[in-house]
Amino acid sequence: MQVYFAPLESITGYVFRNVYETYYGGIDRYFTPFITATDSRRLRNKEMRDILPDNNSVGCLIPQIMSNRAEEFLRVADQMAELGYDTVNLNLGCPARTVVSKGKGSGFLARTVALDRFLREIYEKCPLKISIKTRLGVDDPEEFLEIIDIYNQYPVEELIIHPRVQKDYYKNTPNLDMFAEAVKRCRMPLCYNGDICSVEDYERIHTRFPEVSRIMIGRGLLTHPGLALAIKGEPVTGDITRIGKYADAVCRAYCEAYDRGSRCFSR
Ligand SMILES: Cc1cc2nc3c(=O)[nH]c(=O)nc-3n(C[C@H](O)[C@H](O)[C@H](O)COP(=O)(O)O)c2cc1C
């Protein structure tokens, strides 16, 4: 089973990722919190700091881009290629009102014609592999059936599904019946994301979807940092000591970053 650390804006920046990897690890892919593609040529300083290879000591890091305009997405992807990345991830899942009101994140899922046009252009022109992180839709999980047909037309590197709709935010429970429908219909590799907070939660998903070999975990790894290792059959021993050292190291790393003037707290 491959385990990914979900992007959590304001939390899983490079300072956090590096410390987590040192004290726990067991993560096959980390994802940056979303980089907002704008019409400006330059990334914001905090976004640049987060993706600079020199600042990152984790094995595999995928930059995530939030955009609904192909030329802006492509410009950021080119910058990622220059830095040596070979894959980027497109955010089609963010439920925040400020994002959705601009037709981005999960808000883009409501405009299927525009989404299709956007995907056609980025998959034609982007020099990098593109994976997608998605919700099921905006209001109704059934929206996902049309969205799957759109995704299936493109060489999506992998599709990470958080099976809630935008209006759920983080309430209600992930819709496993619609995830099952995606397992049947999707042509690309799938990754399951949502509410895995214990080994038992993981086993429930794995038992129902044995063909899915990738999971992404966010909040569960914050509350139970040894969870990825436990899922992989390496239960963490001496956890009280380890968690104390880890918490100290997180604090120290943020203080050092603050001293360096990087103001990384904002992401
Ligand atoms: C505080 C917070 C920040 C998040 N930031 C991002 C983000 O930048 N990009 C993204 O794709 N998802 C983001 N998410 C969603 C998570 O990546 C993940 O999909 C969600 O938390 C469900 O997974 P979990 O139940 O394992 O936490 C965020 C979620 C939270 C709670």
Side-chain angles (χ1 to χ4, degrees):
M1 179 59 60
Q2 294 205 29
V3 182
Y4 301 165
F5 208 133
L8 300 169
E9 201 202 1
S10 307
I11 302 171
T12 60
Y14 74 96
V15 174
F16 177 88
R17 292 191 299 266
N18 291 341
V19 177
Y20 182 86
E21 177 69 11
T22 305
Y23 284 82
Y24 286 93
I27 300 296
D28 296 282
R29 290 182 174 189
Y30 290 85
F31 292 72
T32 70
F34 65 81
I35 297 166
T36 309
T38 62
D39 50 11
S40 150
R41 308 221 147 250
R42 282 166 48 85
L43 294 189
R44 288 183 290 178
N45 286 345
K46 69 175 182 182
E47 292 173 335
M48 189 50 106
R49 265 196 306 273
D50 197 42
I51 42 108
L52 278 179
D54 279 354
N55 285 345
N56 283 284
S57 54
V58 301
C60 179
L61 176 65
I62 313 278
Q64 185 186 69
I65 304 175
M66 162 96 72
S67 178
N68 60 6
R69 295 185 54 192
E71 69 276 17
E72 291 174 356
F73 179 95
L74 291 164
R75 192 177 313 127
V76 176
D78 279 345
Q79 288 174 276
M80 298 304 125
E82 278 166 26
L83 290 167
Y85 291 100
D86 71 356
T87 308
V88 287
N89 178 261
L90 170 65
N91 180 322
L92 292 175
C94 182
R97 231 171 246 130
T98 44
V99 165
V100 171
S101 63
K102 296 183 189 122
K104 297 182 185 176
S106 61
F108 206 177
L109 301 174
R111 298 164 51 227
T112 47
V113 173
L115 176 65
D116 189 25
R117 201 178 320 121
F118 170 87
L119 293 176
R120 186 169 323 119
E121 187 167 350
I122 65 169
Y123 277 101
E124 252 168 43
K125 297 184 181 165
C126 185
L128 304 181
K129 293 181 274 187
I130 306 170
S131 65
I132 295 177
K133 183 166 180 282
T134 187
R135 286 196 177 221
L136 301 178
V138 175
D139 294 309
D140 181 344
E142 295 285 316
E143 292 166 31
F144 202 48
L145 299 177
E146 182 190 354
I147 294 167
I148 290 174
D149 287 343
I150 295 173
Y151 292 156
N152 270 341
Q153 298 174 65
Y154 301 103
V156 178
E157 197 258 339
E158 68 181 345
L159 184 63
I160 302 158
I161 302 177
H162 179 58
R164 286 186 165 97
V165 290
Q166 183 271 332
K167 75 168 186 202
D168 286 330
Y169 287 89
Y170 294 99
K171 296 190 297 271
N172 305 324
T173 50
N175 187 321
L176 296 186
D177 291 339
M178 189 48 76
F179 186 77
E181 209 49 52
V183 170
K184 268 195 255 155
R185 295 175 185 226
C186 287
R187 301 208 178 110
M188 67 294 286
L190 293 189
C191 172
Y192 172 84
N193 167 237
D195 293 21
I196 297 182
C197 295
S198 65
V199 174
E200 293 71 36
D201 291 338
Y202 157 72
E203 279 166 355
R204 257 193 304 279
I205 296 296
H206 183 54
T207 303
R208 178 149 177 202
F209 305 108
E211 60 280 75
V212 174
S213 60
R214 307 162 190 216
I215 54 166
M216 174 181 268
I217 308 177
R219 293 165 296 174
L221 285 170
L222 299 182
T223 52
H224 180 355
L227 182 56
L229 291 171
I231 285 171
K232 292 181 171 191
E234 299 171 44
V236 176
T237 51
D239 203 34
I240 294 293
T241 320
R242 190 165 174 165
I243 208 162
K245 288 183 179 163
Y246 162 68
D248 281 350
V250 171
C251 276
R252 248 194 339 270
Y254 276 116
C255 290
E256 284 164 14
Y258 187 70
D259 283 346
R260 285 197 305 273
S262 66
R263 305 200 182 286
C264 57
F265 296 107
S266 54
R267 165 147 291 186

